[in-house]
mmCIF file of all heavy atoms in Angstrom:
data_model
loop_
_atom_site.group_PDB
_atom_site.id
_atom_site.type_symbol
_atom_site.label_atom_id
_atom_site.label_comp_id
_atom_site.label_asym_id
_atom_site.label_seq_id
_atom_site.Cartn_x
_atom_site.Cartn_y
_atom_site.Cartn_z
ATOM 1 N N TYR A 19 -8.379 -16.038 -10.113
ATOM 2 C CA TYR A 19 -7.208 -15.427 -9.350
ATOM 3 C C TYR A 19 -7.687 -15.113 -7.975
ATOM 4 O O TYR A 19 -8.652 -14.488 -7.743
ATOM 5 C CB TYR A 19 -6.769 -14.185 -10.053
ATOM 6 C CG TYR A 19 -5.699 -13.450 -9.206
ATOM 7 C CD1 TYR A 19 -4.433 -13.896 -9.182
ATOM 8 C CD2 TYR A 19 -6.026 -12.335 -8.569
ATOM 9 C CE1 TYR A 19 -3.423 -13.247 -8.490
ATOM 10 C CE2 TYR A 19 -5.053 -11.584 -7.860
ATOM 11 C CZ TYR A 19 -3.807 -12.153 -7.810
ATOM 12 O OH TYR A 19 -2.840 -11.471 -7.093
ATOM 13 N N GLY A 20 -6.953 -15.657 -6.990
ATOM 14 C CA GLY A 20 -7.197 -15.461 -5.563
ATOM 15 C C GLY A 20 -6.394 -14.388 -4.960
ATOM 16 O O GLY A 20 -5.316 -14.624 -4.456
ATOM 17 N N MET A 21 -6.969 -13.175 -5.091
ATOM 18 C CA MET A 21 -6.216 -11.987 -4.535
ATOM 19 C C MET A 21 -6.042 -12.121 -3.048
ATOM 20 O O MET A 21 -5.137 -11.542 -2.431
ATOM 21 C CB MET A 21 -6.944 -10.718 -4.907
ATOM 22 C CG MET A 21 -6.069 -9.462 -4.685
ATOM 23 S SD MET A 21 -6.971 -8.011 -5.157
ATOM 24 C CE MET A 21 -5.710 -6.873 -5.572
ATOM 25 N N GLU A 22 -6.862 -12.985 -2.450
ATOM 26 C CA GLU A 22 -6.786 -13.105 -0.983
ATOM 27 C C GLU A 22 -5.509 -13.729 -0.549
ATOM 28 O O GLU A 22 -5.238 -13.775 0.635
ATOM 29 C CB GLU A 22 -7.998 -13.921 -0.376
ATOM 30 C CG GLU A 22 -8.040 -15.392 -0.984
ATOM 31 C CD GLU A 22 -8.907 -15.528 -2.278
ATOM 32 O OE1 GLU A 22 -8.987 -14.553 -2.969
ATOM 33 O OE2 GLU A 22 -9.264 -16.665 -2.566
ATOM 34 N N PHE A 23 -4.721 -14.366 -1.444
ATOM 35 C CA PHE A 23 -3.521 -14.935 -1.060
ATOM 36 C C PHE A 23 -2.294 -13.928 -1.097
ATOM 37 O O PHE A 23 -1.167 -14.317 -0.718
ATOM 38 C CB PHE A 23 -3.170 -16.067 -2.039
ATOM 39 C CG PHE A 23 -4.189 -17.184 -1.989
ATOM 40 C CD1 PHE A 23 -5.075 -17.456 -2.955
ATOM 41 C CD2 PHE A 23 -4.266 -18.045 -0.830
ATOM 42 C CE1 PHE A 23 -5.989 -18.489 -2.903
ATOM 43 C CE2 PHE A 23 -5.219 -18.957 -0.773
ATOM 44 C CZ PHE A 23 -6.076 -19.300 -1.810
ATOM 45 N N PHE A 24 -2.596 -12.691 -1.394
ATOM 46 C CA PHE A 24 -1.557 -11.678 -1.534
ATOM 47 C C PHE A 24 -1.793 -10.479 -0.628
ATOM 48 O O PHE A 24 -2.854 -9.917 -0.679
ATOM 49 C CB PHE A 24 -1.457 -11.203 -3.055
ATOM 50 C CG PHE A 24 -1.002 -12.272 -3.985
ATOM 51 C CD1 PHE A 24 -1.920 -13.152 -4.491
ATOM 52 C CD2 PHE A 24 0.256 -12.315 -4.372
ATOM 53 C CE1 PHE A 24 -1.518 -14.163 -5.409
ATOM 54 C CE2 PHE A 24 0.704 -13.251 -5.372
ATOM 55 C CZ PHE A 24 -0.184 -14.173 -5.850
ATOM 56 N N ALA A 25 -0.758 -10.096 0.042
ATOM 57 C CA ALA A 25 -0.791 -8.800 0.636
ATOM 58 C C ALA A 25 -0.476 -7.770 -0.466
ATOM 59 O O ALA A 25 0.236 -8.113 -1.418
ATOM 60 C CB ALA A 25 0.343 -8.697 1.752
ATOM 61 N N MET A 26 -0.978 -6.575 -0.385
ATOM 62 C CA MET A 26 -0.848 -5.655 -1.384
ATOM 63 C C MET A 26 -0.248 -4.339 -0.884
ATOM 64 O O MET A 26 -0.406 -3.929 0.271
ATOM 65 C CB MET A 26 -2.263 -5.298 -2.009
ATOM 66 C CG MET A 26 -2.932 -6.490 -2.635
ATOM 67 S SD MET A 26 -2.121 -7.283 -3.932
ATOM 68 C CE MET A 26 -2.281 -5.965 -5.171
ATOM 69 N N GLU A 27 0.456 -3.635 -1.790
ATOM 70 C CA GLU A 27 1.091 -2.407 -1.299
ATOM 71 C C GLU A 27 1.071 -1.451 -2.561
ATOM 72 O O GLU A 27 1.178 -1.831 -3.748
ATOM 73 C CB GLU A 27 2.538 -2.665 -0.917
ATOM 74 C CG GLU A 27 3.210 -1.320 -0.385
ATOM 75 C CD GLU A 27 4.337 -1.638 0.610
ATOM 76 O OE1 GLU A 27 4.530 -2.787 0.885
ATOM 77 O OE2 GLU A 27 4.942 -0.666 1.086
ATOM 78 N N TRP A 28 0.982 -0.196 -2.181
ATOM 79 C CA TRP A 28 1.107 0.888 -3.124
ATOM 80 C C TRP A 28 2.462 1.570 -2.965
ATOM 81 O O TRP A 28 2.836 1.898 -1.797
ATOM 82 C CB TRP A 28 0.010 1.920 -2.973
ATOM 83 C CG TRP A 28 -1.258 1.542 -3.435
ATOM 84 C CD1 TRP A 28 -2.350 1.037 -2.701
ATOM 85 C CD2 TRP A 28 -1.800 1.624 -4.852
ATOM 86 N NE1 TRP A 28 -3.464 0.786 -3.541
ATOM 87 C CE2 TRP A 28 -3.117 1.131 -4.840
ATOM 88 C CE3 TRP A 28 -1.300 2.069 -6.011
ATOM 89 C CZ2 TRP A 28 -3.876 1.098 -5.984
ATOM 90 C CZ3 TRP A 28 -2.033 2.029 -7.181
ATOM 91 C CH2 TRP A 28 -3.301 1.544 -7.167
ATOM 92 N N PHE A 29 3.160 1.772 -4.053
ATOM 93 C CA PHE A 29 4.453 2.502 -4.040
ATOM 94 C C PHE A 29 4.289 3.670 -4.938
ATOM 95 O O PHE A 29 3.377 3.821 -5.688
ATOM 96 C CB PHE A 29 5.577 1.578 -4.698
ATOM 97 C CG PHE A 29 5.969 0.396 -3.814
ATOM 98 C CD1 PHE A 29 5.245 -0.758 -3.910
ATOM 99 C CD2 PHE A 29 7.101 0.459 -3.036
ATOM 100 C CE1 PHE A 29 5.652 -1.847 -3.088
ATOM 101 C CE2 PHE A 29 7.431 -0.585 -2.189
ATOM 102 C CZ PHE A 29 6.730 -1.750 -2.309
ATOM 103 N N ARG A 30 5.281 4.672 -4.816
ATOM 104 C CA ARG A 30 5.310 5.777 -5.751
ATOM 105 C C ARG A 30 6.762 6.134 -5.991
ATOM 106 O O ARG A 30 7.611 5.879 -5.243
ATOM 107 C CB ARG A 30 4.522 6.958 -5.187
ATOM 108 C CG ARG A 30 5.141 7.634 -3.871
ATOM 109 C CD ARG A 30 4.193 8.650 -3.389
ATOM 110 N NE ARG A 30 4.708 9.353 -2.232
ATOM 111 C CZ ARG A 30 4.032 10.235 -1.544
ATOM 112 N NH1 ARG A 30 2.859 10.659 -1.879
ATOM 113 N NH2 ARG A 30 4.592 10.760 -0.453
ATOM 114 N N GLN A 31 6.907 6.667 -7.190
ATOM 115 C CA GLN A 31 8.263 7.244 -7.461
ATOM 116 C C GLN A 31 8.081 8.531 -8.212
ATOM 117 O O GLN A 31 7.491 8.633 -9.214
ATOM 118 C CB GLN A 31 9.011 6.277 -8.371
ATOM 119 C CG GLN A 31 10.418 6.579 -8.658
ATOM 120 C CD GLN A 31 11.275 5.481 -9.267
ATOM 121 O OE1 GLN A 31 10.722 4.497 -9.804
ATOM 122 N NE2 GLN A 31 12.586 5.499 -9.103
ATOM 123 N N ALA A 32 8.770 9.495 -7.637
ATOM 124 C CA ALA A 32 8.739 10.905 -8.207
ATOM 125 C C ALA A 32 9.971 11.044 -9.102
ATOM 126 O O ALA A 32 11.050 10.359 -8.806
ATOM 127 C CB ALA A 32 8.684 11.951 -7.196
ATOM 128 N N PRO A 33 10.021 11.933 -10.048
ATOM 129 C CA PRO A 33 11.197 12.118 -10.932
ATOM 130 C C PRO A 33 12.466 12.490 -10.030
ATOM 131 O O PRO A 33 12.366 13.361 -9.147
ATOM 132 C CB PRO A 33 10.820 13.261 -11.763
ATOM 133 C CG PRO A 33 9.324 13.260 -11.835
ATOM 134 C CD PRO A 33 8.858 12.770 -10.542
ATOM 135 N N GLY A 34 13.547 11.794 -10.249
ATOM 136 C CA GLY A 34 14.774 12.077 -9.575
ATOM 137 C C GLY A 34 14.764 11.485 -8.105
ATOM 138 O O GLY A 34 15.784 11.703 -7.397
ATOM 139 N N LYS A 35 13.743 10.750 -7.672
ATOM 140 C CA LYS A 35 13.726 10.178 -6.372
ATOM 141 C C LYS A 35 13.638 8.754 -6.377
ATOM 142 O O LYS A 35 13.213 8.105 -7.405
ATOM 143 C CB LYS A 35 12.569 10.842 -5.610
ATOM 144 C CG LYS A 35 12.681 12.294 -5.345
ATOM 145 C CD LYS A 35 11.551 12.815 -4.440
ATOM 146 C CE LYS A 35 11.716 14.276 -4.103
ATOM 147 N NZ LYS A 35 10.692 14.804 -3.091
ATOM 148 N N GLU A 36 13.960 8.041 -5.300
ATOM 149 C CA GLU A 36 13.853 6.639 -5.161
ATOM 150 C C GLU A 36 12.365 6.235 -5.025
ATOM 151 O O GLU A 36 11.616 7.005 -4.396
ATOM 152 C CB GLU A 36 14.721 6.096 -4.072
ATOM 153 C CG GLU A 36 16.162 6.287 -4.223
ATOM 154 C CD GLU A 36 16.903 5.542 -3.168
ATOM 155 O OE1 GLU A 36 16.328 5.051 -2.210
ATOM 156 O OE2 GLU A 36 18.243 5.484 -3.314
ATOM 157 N N ARG A 37 11.961 5.069 -5.364
ATOM 158 C CA ARG A 37 10.722 4.556 -5.140
ATOM 159 C C ARG A 37 10.421 4.361 -3.683
ATOM 160 O O ARG A 37 11.351 3.828 -2.885
ATOM 161 C CB ARG A 37 10.502 3.164 -5.880
ATOM 162 C CG ARG A 37 9.132 2.590 -5.751
ATOM 163 C CD ARG A 37 9.071 1.331 -6.589
ATOM 164 N NE ARG A 37 9.957 0.309 -6.131
ATOM 165 C CZ ARG A 37 10.346 -0.793 -6.786
ATOM 166 N NH1 ARG A 37 9.938 -0.930 -8.015
ATOM 167 N NH2 ARG A 37 11.150 -1.687 -6.232
ATOM 168 N N GLU A 38 9.238 4.716 -3.082
ATOM 169 C CA GLU A 38 9.049 4.547 -1.769
ATOM 170 C C GLU A 38 7.718 3.801 -1.594
ATOM 171 O O GLU A 38 6.714 4.012 -2.403
ATOM 172 C CB GLU A 38 8.979 5.893 -1.083
ATOM 173 C CG GLU A 38 7.844 6.743 -1.431
ATOM 174 C CD GLU A 38 7.677 7.977 -0.481
ATOM 175 O OE1 GLU A 38 8.245 7.996 0.635
ATOM 176 O OE2 GLU A 38 6.937 8.932 -0.944
ATOM 177 N N GLY A 39 7.601 3.067 -0.557
ATOM 178 C CA GLY A 39 6.344 2.387 -0.209
ATOM 179 C C GLY A 39 5.391 3.430 0.515
ATOM 180 O O GLY A 39 5.827 4.129 1.331
ATOM 181 N N VAL A 40 4.235 3.503 -0.007
ATOM 182 C CA VAL A 40 3.187 4.463 0.527
ATOM 183 C C VAL A 40 2.293 3.823 1.545
ATOM 184 O O VAL A 40 2.030 4.402 2.588
ATOM 185 C CB VAL A 40 2.383 5.015 -0.705
ATOM 186 C CG1 VAL A 40 1.285 5.943 -0.271
ATOM 187 C CG2 VAL A 40 3.282 5.755 -1.655
ATOM 188 N N SER A 41 1.738 2.658 1.118
ATOM 189 C CA SER A 41 0.733 2.002 2.122
ATOM 190 C C SER A 41 0.640 0.596 1.688
ATOM 191 O O SER A 41 0.682 0.185 0.559
ATOM 192 C CB SER A 41 -0.682 2.647 1.909
ATOM 193 O OG SER A 41 -1.520 2.107 2.709
ATOM 194 N N CYS A 42 0.457 -0.266 2.731
ATOM 195 C CA CYS A 42 0.202 -1.666 2.492
ATOM 196 C C CYS A 42 -1.061 -2.203 3.202
ATOM 197 O O CYS A 42 -1.475 -1.497 4.138
ATOM 198 C CB CYS A 42 1.410 -2.494 2.961
ATOM 199 S SG CYS A 42 1.717 -2.433 4.728
ATOM 200 N N ILE A 43 -1.507 -3.290 2.809
ATOM 201 C CA ILE A 43 -2.728 -3.929 3.341
ATOM 202 C C ILE A 43 -2.501 -5.415 3.411
ATOM 203 O O ILE A 43 -2.106 -5.999 2.467
ATOM 204 C CB ILE A 43 -4.004 -3.470 2.636
ATOM 205 C CG1 ILE A 43 -5.319 -3.930 3.381
ATOM 206 C CG2 ILE A 43 -4.026 -3.906 1.186
ATOM 207 C CD1 ILE A 43 -6.585 -3.270 2.952
ATOM 208 N N SER A 44 -2.909 -5.986 4.538
ATOM 209 C CA SER A 44 -2.694 -7.398 4.621
ATOM 210 C C SER A 44 -3.725 -8.197 3.839
ATOM 211 O O SER A 44 -4.685 -7.601 3.321
ATOM 212 C CB SER A 44 -2.778 -7.845 6.131
ATOM 213 O OG SER A 44 -4.110 -7.525 6.572
ATOM 214 N N ARG A 45 -3.482 -9.473 3.735
ATOM 215 C CA ARG A 45 -4.456 -10.375 3.005
ATOM 216 C C ARG A 45 -5.908 -10.229 3.495
ATOM 217 O O ARG A 45 -6.849 -10.211 2.721
ATOM 218 C CB ARG A 45 -4.036 -11.751 3.085
ATOM 219 C CG ARG A 45 -2.756 -12.089 2.319
ATOM 220 C CD ARG A 45 -2.230 -13.461 2.670
ATOM 221 N NE ARG A 45 -3.277 -14.525 2.594
ATOM 222 C CZ ARG A 45 -3.096 -15.672 3.171
ATOM 223 N NH1 ARG A 45 -2.131 -15.976 3.954
ATOM 224 N NH2 ARG A 45 -4.133 -16.497 3.139
ATOM 225 N N SER A 46 -6.042 -10.155 4.761
ATOM 226 C CA SER A 46 -7.412 -9.975 5.415
ATOM 227 C C SER A 46 -7.986 -8.622 5.303
ATOM 228 O O SER A 46 -9.184 -8.364 5.489
ATOM 229 C CB SER A 46 -7.316 -10.443 6.931
ATOM 230 O OG SER A 46 -6.601 -9.449 7.661
ATOM 231 N N GLY A 47 -7.110 -7.597 5.101
ATOM 232 C CA GLY A 47 -7.573 -6.281 5.130
ATOM 233 C C GLY A 47 -7.549 -5.619 6.541
ATOM 234 O O GLY A 47 -7.852 -4.459 6.728
ATOM 235 N N GLY A 48 -7.273 -6.488 7.502
ATOM 236 C CA GLY A 48 -7.314 -5.949 8.875
ATOM 237 C C GLY A 48 -6.163 -5.179 9.366
ATOM 238 O O GLY A 48 -6.163 -4.448 10.289
ATOM 239 N N ILE A 49 -4.971 -5.268 8.585
ATOM 240 C CA ILE A 49 -3.770 -4.520 8.968
ATOM 241 C C ILE A 49 -3.385 -3.660 7.809
ATOM 242 O O ILE A 49 -3.392 -4.068 6.628
ATOM 243 C CB ILE A 49 -2.603 -5.558 9.219
ATOM 244 C CG1 ILE A 49 -2.924 -6.404 10.364
ATOM 245 C CG2 ILE A 49 -1.334 -4.777 9.427
ATOM 246 C CD1 ILE A 49 -3.152 -5.755 11.660
ATOM 247 N N THR A 50 -3.261 -2.366 8.136
ATOM 248 C CA THR A 50 -2.806 -1.449 7.132
ATOM 249 C C THR A 50 -1.671 -0.537 7.713
ATOM 250 O O THR A 50 -1.640 -0.296 8.928
ATOM 251 C CB THR A 50 -3.894 -0.460 6.661
ATOM 252 O OG1 THR A 50 -4.474 0.207 7.823
ATOM 253 C CG2 THR A 50 -5.105 -1.288 5.998
ATOM 254 N N ASN A 51 -0.795 -0.141 6.812
ATOM 255 C CA ASN A 51 0.316 0.765 7.262
ATOM 256 C C ASN A 51 0.510 1.877 6.224
ATOM 257 O O ASN A 51 0.223 1.632 5.092
ATOM 258 C CB ASN A 51 1.591 -0.064 7.342
ATOM 259 C CG ASN A 51 1.768 -0.924 8.594
ATOM 260 O OD1 ASN A 51 1.144 -0.622 9.596
ATOM 261 N ND2 ASN A 51 2.400 -2.106 8.410
ATOM 262 N N TYR A 52 1.011 2.979 6.713
ATOM 263 C CA TYR A 52 1.199 4.130 5.872
ATOM 264 C C TYR A 52 2.469 4.809 6.135
ATOM 265 O O TYR A 52 2.943 4.842 7.314
ATOM 266 C CB TYR A 52 0.056 5.190 6.114
ATOM 267 C CG TYR A 52 -1.375 4.710 5.838
ATOM 268 C CD1 TYR A 52 -2.112 4.021 6.839
ATOM 269 C CD2 TYR A 52 -1.869 4.766 4.569
ATOM 270 C CE1 TYR A 52 -3.342 3.565 6.617
ATOM 271 C CE2 TYR A 52 -3.185 4.289 4.334
ATOM 272 C CZ TYR A 52 -3.870 3.684 5.312
ATOM 273 O OH TYR A 52 -5.162 3.202 5.125
ATOM 274 N N VAL A 53 3.132 5.395 5.137
ATOM 275 C CA VAL A 53 4.297 6.171 5.312
ATOM 276 C C VAL A 53 3.909 7.446 5.956
ATOM 277 O O VAL A 53 2.734 7.890 5.790
ATOM 278 C CB VAL A 53 5.034 6.424 3.998
ATOM 279 C CG1 VAL A 53 4.144 7.301 3.162
ATOM 280 C CG2 VAL A 53 6.456 6.997 4.173
ATOM 281 N N ASP A 54 4.701 7.958 6.862
ATOM 282 C CA ASP A 54 4.357 9.136 7.575
ATOM 283 C C ASP A 54 3.769 10.366 6.766
ATOM 284 O O ASP A 54 2.854 11.032 7.167
ATOM 285 C CB ASP A 54 5.514 9.666 8.417
ATOM 286 C CG ASP A 54 5.866 8.761 9.587
ATOM 287 O OD1 ASP A 54 4.988 7.926 9.939
ATOM 288 O OD2 ASP A 54 6.955 8.901 10.154
ATOM 289 N N ALA A 55 4.391 10.501 5.559
ATOM 290 C CA ALA A 55 3.952 11.645 4.758
ATOM 291 C C ALA A 55 2.442 11.584 4.287
ATOM 292 O O ALA A 55 1.904 12.594 3.858
ATOM 293 C CB ALA A 55 4.857 11.675 3.470
ATOM 294 N N VAL A 56 1.843 10.443 4.377
ATOM 295 C CA VAL A 56 0.458 10.328 3.888
ATOM 296 C C VAL A 56 -0.478 10.023 4.996
ATOM 297 O O VAL A 56 -1.731 9.865 4.660
ATOM 298 C CB VAL A 56 0.320 9.357 2.624
ATOM 299 C CG1 VAL A 56 1.404 9.679 1.680
ATOM 300 C CG2 VAL A 56 0.497 7.927 3.161
ATOM 301 N N LYS A 57 -0.013 9.748 6.143
ATOM 302 C CA LYS A 57 -0.947 9.391 7.357
ATOM 303 C C LYS A 57 -1.974 10.496 7.530
ATOM 304 O O LYS A 57 -1.739 11.653 7.517
ATOM 305 C CB LYS A 57 -0.158 9.161 8.576
ATOM 306 C CG LYS A 57 0.613 7.878 8.604
ATOM 307 C CD LYS A 57 1.371 7.684 9.940
ATOM 308 C CE LYS A 57 2.111 6.312 9.918
ATOM 309 N NZ LYS A 57 2.922 6.214 11.213
ATOM 310 N N GLY A 58 -3.253 10.022 7.660
ATOM 311 C CA GLY A 58 -4.379 10.855 7.856
ATOM 312 C C GLY A 58 -4.931 11.464 6.571
ATOM 313 O O GLY A 58 -6.052 12.191 6.616
ATOM 314 N N ARG A 59 -4.222 11.253 5.419
ATOM 315 C CA ARG A 59 -4.752 11.734 4.158
ATOM 316 C C ARG A 59 -5.146 10.643 3.129
ATOM 317 O O ARG A 59 -6.048 10.794 2.417
ATOM 318 C CB ARG A 59 -3.695 12.603 3.544
ATOM 319 C CG ARG A 59 -3.301 13.836 4.316
ATOM 320 C CD ARG A 59 -2.403 14.813 3.579
ATOM 321 N NE ARG A 59 -1.184 14.226 3.159
ATOM 322 C CZ ARG A 59 -0.695 14.141 1.920
ATOM 323 N NH1 ARG A 59 -1.522 14.499 0.891
ATOM 324 N NH2 ARG A 59 0.473 13.498 1.638
ATOM 325 N N PHE A 60 -4.393 9.487 3.202
ATOM 326 C CA PHE A 60 -4.610 8.433 2.289
ATOM 327 C C PHE A 60 -5.244 7.281 3.039
ATOM 328 O O PHE A 60 -4.923 7.028 4.218
ATOM 329 C CB PHE A 60 -3.290 7.896 1.698
ATOM 330 C CG PHE A 60 -2.640 8.822 0.725
ATOM 331 C CD1 PHE A 60 -3.095 10.163 0.587
ATOM 332 C CD2 PHE A 60 -1.561 8.386 -0.159
ATOM 333 C CE1 PHE A 60 -2.486 10.944 -0.351
ATOM 334 C CE2 PHE A 60 -0.981 9.238 -0.944
ATOM 335 C CZ PHE A 60 -1.435 10.456 -1.115
ATOM 336 N N THR A 61 -6.089 6.464 2.365
ATOM 337 C CA THR A 61 -6.719 5.335 2.996
ATOM 338 C C THR A 61 -6.663 4.159 1.917
ATOM 339 O O THR A 61 -7.109 4.254 0.771
ATOM 340 C CB THR A 61 -8.137 5.559 3.335
ATOM 341 O OG1 THR A 61 -8.323 6.668 4.197
ATOM 342 C CG2 THR A 61 -8.778 4.333 3.942
ATOM 343 N N ILE A 62 -6.050 2.965 2.395
ATOM 344 C CA ILE A 62 -5.951 1.844 1.556
ATOM 345 C C ILE A 62 -7.103 0.840 1.916
ATOM 346 O O ILE A 62 -7.437 0.785 3.108
ATOM 347 C CB ILE A 62 -4.629 1.153 1.675
ATOM 348 C CG1 ILE A 62 -4.335 0.111 0.574
ATOM 349 C CG2 ILE A 62 -4.405 0.574 3.056
ATOM 350 C CD1 ILE A 62 -2.976 -0.459 0.509
ATOM 351 N N SER A 63 -7.636 0.157 0.968
ATOM 352 C CA SER A 63 -8.668 -0.841 1.202
ATOM 353 C C SER A 63 -8.580 -1.855 0.093
ATOM 354 O O SER A 63 -7.894 -1.718 -0.926
ATOM 355 C CB SER A 63 -10.036 -0.160 1.294
ATOM 356 O OG SER A 63 -10.388 0.483 0.045
ATOM 357 N N ARG A 64 -9.320 -2.966 0.263
ATOM 358 C CA ARG A 64 -9.308 -4.015 -0.732
ATOM 359 C C ARG A 64 -10.688 -4.642 -0.727
ATOM 360 O O ARG A 64 -11.406 -4.709 0.251
ATOM 361 C CB ARG A 64 -8.251 -5.015 -0.458
ATOM 362 C CG ARG A 64 -8.405 -5.807 0.812
ATOM 363 C CD ARG A 64 -7.097 -6.556 1.121
ATOM 364 N NE ARG A 64 -6.933 -7.649 0.100
ATOM 365 C CZ ARG A 64 -5.738 -8.212 -0.100
ATOM 366 N NH1 ARG A 64 -4.656 -7.850 0.565
ATOM 367 N NH2 ARG A 64 -5.584 -9.210 -1.043
ATOM 368 N N ASP A 65 -10.970 -5.195 -1.903
ATOM 369 C CA ASP A 65 -12.161 -6.018 -2.120
ATOM 370 C C ASP A 65 -11.732 -7.256 -2.805
ATOM 371 O O ASP A 65 -11.549 -7.357 -4.058
ATOM 372 C CB ASP A 65 -13.185 -5.263 -2.947
ATOM 373 C CG ASP A 65 -14.515 -5.969 -3.041
ATOM 374 O OD1 ASP A 65 -14.555 -7.175 -2.926
ATOM 375 O OD2 ASP A 65 -15.571 -5.299 -3.310
#
C-alpha cells in the first residue's frame, strides 16, 4: 500500500456535534493545517 499517494486528515466528532476536521498533512508531509482550537497543542506527522 502506497500511503504516499494519499493526503491524510484527522477528524473528530463529539456527542451532539458535527464532525470537524482537526488537522491535515500533505502527501509529502511538508504541508500541515490545524483547526484554530488545536493550534499550538496538536502536531500531525506521517511516516
Side-chain angles (χ1 to χ4, degrees):
Y19 171 75
M21 196 181 206
E22 65 269 23
F23 296 111
F24 293 82
M26 302 296 294
E27 183 152 0
W28 286 97
F29 291 83
R30 68 184 179 185
Q31 187 167 21
K35 295 188 177 181
E36 292 188 355
R37 185 176 63 196
E38 68 170 345
V40 175
S41 180
C42 65
I43 187 166
S44 63
R45 290 168 50 199
S46 69
I49 300 297
T50 58
N51 288 327
Y52 300 90
V53 68
D54 286 347
V56 307
K57 284 181 180 177
R59 300 189 298 120
F60 289 12
T61 303
I62 191 170
S63 61
R64 65 189 295 159
D65 186 337

